[in-house]
Amino acid sequence: MPFLLALLGGAALRWTATRAYPQGLWFTGDSYFYVGHALSGVPSPSKTSGYSFMLQLMEPLHSLKAVVVAQHLMGLAIAVMAYAVLCRARLPAWAAAIVTVPILFDAYEIELEHLLMSEALFTFCIAAGLTLLLWRVHGEKAGATWWLALPAGLLLGYAVLVRSAGAPLIPLILLCLLLRRRGWRPALAFGMAAAVPLVAYAMWYHDHRGVYGLTSADGIYLWGRTASFADCAKIKPPSNEEALCLDAATKAENDPPGHLIWRNDIPPRVIFESVVAPEANATLRDFSIRAILAQPGDYLDTVARGVGKAFSSHRYPTPTAATEGLYHFPDRAQLFPGGLGWSGKGGTALSDAMRYGRTDTPSRVVQPHADRMIDYQERYYLPGPALGVLFGLGAAGVLLARRRRREVLMVWAGAVTLLVFPIASADFDYRYVVPTMPFACLAIGLALSAFRARGPGEATVPALGTPDPADTTEDGDPAGPDDGGAAEEPDEPGEEGAGGERAAGRDEPSGDDRGGNEDEKDDADADGDAEREPEHVPGKPADAPAGA
């Protein structure tokens, strides 16, 4: 009931936003780009087209309103998935509902869902993939299986096509899956499935652009990240790259990378005819990597300052005040720029929007609903310090939640990656921060579930020497510590192996069954519910099941 009430409240807010801005909100540049490429059907060298694919799929509806409604449903679904995973992890329903409150009620989350931008779809795909991997978080056969990892891999692979910043999540999740005994099966299934959409896109990109890849713009973004500190006297680049260093006057302007790279007077745009041409991209990438290797302290300092902005109580006007203003609900209809659009059909951004939505007014503001959302956003959002607390608690959960350590690590590290990687490879932007919040919340919920004692009705320990049907995997192999068994998490120290038996006279297990008797005793004392070998009760056979 608490979660249902919270879900209804979140849905009401999103419906109010839809009534206030029925045609959605437009992010200058990017929204026009995505709609234009949905109409053109060709890949761009600067951004992946995963979000444009969704717009193409919905084009027959001829409704911008349908797009934003779908994105709001994705936002609600993220909260539902987090709640379901936490309930399956045996966190009390009321506590699981509290964990989802920031996802449902954060004003900037709702505004980002209402923008015609890739973030809602990106976050949804990642959340759906993690939900599949965490679905068997508790029980006799806890742990991801290959048949759940397969669709999870497809979702994460597609998420990279929606936003290339999701690429580091693939190796991260593979590593977390391999940390489990016999984790090679789900890891293999996940990796192969994730590669399918990426390889297919690279082949499509090659057909249109002549090279295999997802984009050819990573060089200019990384150059913008390093330009503020790159010193050719320290880097000693080859002669063809020396001109890429900024002059002192331009550096003194402290122009954020997200704005700097679009200026016509910067060296890359002066030197190269197109900064996204494959040769230019390779040169810019090489220069940037040389700068990072030659000046690692300066690079880490710029990244740290970007991360610090995410956790600051002050909201910075970055990369420009106009860009930051696009993350706030407006009080008037938006204006569209002149010049050619991105559809390749000779139109403008406005004509592309009108064509896609079959409307003469692709931006509308309806009162009093707009004022309600503006007032709401001024009061109800997760401030930067609170987000920092969520990440800090998640880090503590990784250290303390022994029963769920791998699961907490996978979700929390995913949130950290989503926050740090865009800052490290491009620039700080608030739309890169908001998608991390659901996963920071989920990591805390999973950590709390690790301290939840087993309730009645869970599997009891079988008799010594008695085979347990749960001691086989879905593939029919004997269950290892991570393939399931009677114990909830038999691979953690202090718990019995599958079947509740330790053979006398054998060495202590190694690998995931690490730890000796002292660790087992500590775990039993801390958790209060570690399984123990059944004691012999006078008058009963020594091999009788526990509790008989």
Side-chain angles (χ1 to χ4, degrees):
M1 182 60 72
F3 177 72
L4 180 59
L5 293 175
L7 186 66
L8 291 174
L13 285 169
R14 286 160 173 82
W15 178 240
T16 302
T18 304
R19 297 176 70 187
Y21 312 97
Q23 307 289 47
L25 297 173
W26 297 81
F27 190 91
T28 301
D30 287 20
S31 294
Y32 315 143
F33 167 91
Y34 287 123
V35 171
H37 278 275
L39 296 171
S40 72
V42 297
S44 167
S46 61
K47 288 183 178 66
T48 49
S49 300
Y51 181 63
S52 293
F53 293 160
M54 188 193 85
L55 295 179
Q56 273 185 314
L57 187 65
M58 300 187 70
E59 186 188 359
L61 298 177
H62 303 310
S63 172
L64 294 167
K65 184 176 183 178
V67 175
V68 296
V69 168
Q71 292 179 177
H72 284 312
L73 291 176
M74 291 177 193
L76 295 173
I78 292 168
V80 171
M81 288 185 285
Y83 177 78
V85 167
L86 294 177
C87 287
R88 288 182 64 84
R90 297 187 63 81
L91 191 68
W94 61 267
I98 291 175
V99 170
T100 65
V101 165
I103 306 172
L104 291 169
F105 293 98
D106 180 78
Y108 288 100
E109 170 73 30
I110 298 170
E111 200 272 350
L112 197 60
E113 293 169 14
H114 210 73
L115 282 166
L116 293 165
M117 289 284 284
S118 60
E119 271 66 31
L121 178 61
F122 177 69
T123 311
F124 172 80
C125 289
I126 296 173
L130 289 177
T131 297
L132 290 170
L133 295 174
L134 295 169
W135 194 245
R136 300 193 347 155
V137 69
H138 177 86
E140 294 181 348
K141 293 184 179 181
T145 61
W146 70 266
W147 45 269
L148 287 174
L150 201 66
L154 289 172
L155 284 164
L156 268 295
Y158 181 69
V160 177
L161 301 184
V162 177
R163 263 194 61 202
S164 56
L169 292 178
I170 304 296
L172 171 68
I173 293 175
L174 280 172
L175 177 61
C176 291
L177 292 174
L178 289 171
L179 287 176
R180 281 194 173 277
R181 177 170 294 185
R182 302 197 183 204
W184 66 269
R185 290 182 203 151
L188 180 63
F190 176 85
M192 292 178 63
V196 170
L198 300 178
V199 171
Y201 190 94
M203 295 175 66
W204 179 57
Y205 190 88
H206 176 268
D207 287 342
H208 287 273
R209 301 289 174 183
V211 294
Y212 291 100
L214 303 182
T215 70
S216 55
D218 57 296
I220 184 63
Y221 287 114
L222 193 57
W223 177 88
R225 176 74 282 174
T226 60
S228 63
F229 65 81
D231 184 348
C232 280
K234 297 179 181 178
I235 300 171
K236 297 181 175 60
S239 58
N240 66 317
E241 296 180 5
E242 288 179 352
L244 291 174
C245 281
L246 280 181
D247 58 80
T250 306
K251 283 185 179 181
E253 296 178 24
N254 292 321
D255 204 1
H259 182 256
L260 177 69
I261 61 173
W262 303 109
R263 288 172 47 168
N264 291 325
D265 61 341
I266 59 173
R269 295 192 182 274
V270 173
I271 296 171
F272 303 111
E273 183 177 350
S274 171
V275 294
V276 293
E279 298 80 6
N281 187 58
T283 301
L284 290 168
R285 186 196 306 119
D286 182 73
F287 172 85
S288 303
I289 293 174
R290 289 175 184 273
I292 293 170
L293 295 177
Q295 300 174 259
D298 294 326
Y299 174 68
L300 292 176
D301 180 64
T302 61
V303 174
R305 281 189 276 117
V307 174
K309 291 178 181 178
F311 300 144
S312 172
S313 58
H314 175 70
R315 194 166 176 93
Y316 294 87
T318 184
T320 66
T323 300
E324 196 279 329
L326 295 171
Y327 304 128
H328 298 262
F329 288 108
D331 59 0
R332 65 192 68 184
Q334 295 172 273
L335 300 177
F336 287 75
L340 292 176
W342 280 261
S343 65
K345 303 183 185 300
T348 63
L350 177 59
S351 65
D352 288 348
M354 293 169 63
R355 178 185 168 198
Y356 182 89
R358 297 295 194 272
T359 176
D360 294 333
T361 55
S363 178
R364 289 174 53 205
V365 175
V366 179
Q367 296 293 1
H369 309 297
D371 281 342
R372 290 171 184 163
M373 293 310 301
I374 292 170
D375 291 341
Y376 181 84
Q377 191 171 25
E378 290 177 353
R379 294 177 174 85
Y380 303 105
Y381 61 90
L382 191 71
L387 182 66
V389 170
L390 292 183
F391 273 87
L393 291 175
V398 173
L399 298 175
L400 301 176
R402 304 191 67 166
R403 293 182 182 277
R404 300 269 190 265
R405 180 168 293 161
R406 295 178 184 86
E407 292 82 359
V408 177
L409 175 63
M410 181 167 63
V411 177
W412 179 80
V416 172
T417 301
L418 290 175
L419 176 66
V420 175
F421 181 73
I423 297 173
S425 59
D427 192 10
F428 170 83
D429 195 307
Y430 284 104
R431 68 186 169 106
Y432 303 152
V433 176
V434 175
T436 69
M437 180 259 293
F439 307 110
C441 292
L442 179 59
I444 292 174
L446 287 171
L448 292 174
S449 74
F451 304 103
R452 168 77 167 164
R454 282 196 196 91
E458 290 199 52
T460 55
V461 182
L464 292 174
T466 304
D468 189 337
D471 287 351
T472 58
T473 67
E474 65 278 354
D475 299 316
D477 297 324
D482 288 296
D483 291 316
E488 175 194 30
E489 292 283 343
D491 58 334
E492 290 292 343
E495 295 190 284
E496 304 287 343
E501 178 181 8
R502 292 192 188 274
R506 292 189 300 180
D507 293 336
E508 288 295 325
S510 60
D512 282 347
D513 291 328
R514 60 192 178 277
N517 294 331
E518 290 300 320
D519 288 340
E520 293 168 9
K521 182 178 183 301
D522 291 343
D523 277 1
D525 293 340
D527 297 324
D529 60 353
E531 296 178 12
R532 297 176 175 83
E533 301 218 348
E535 298 178 358
H536 177 61
V537 180
K540 292 186 180 180
D543 60 348

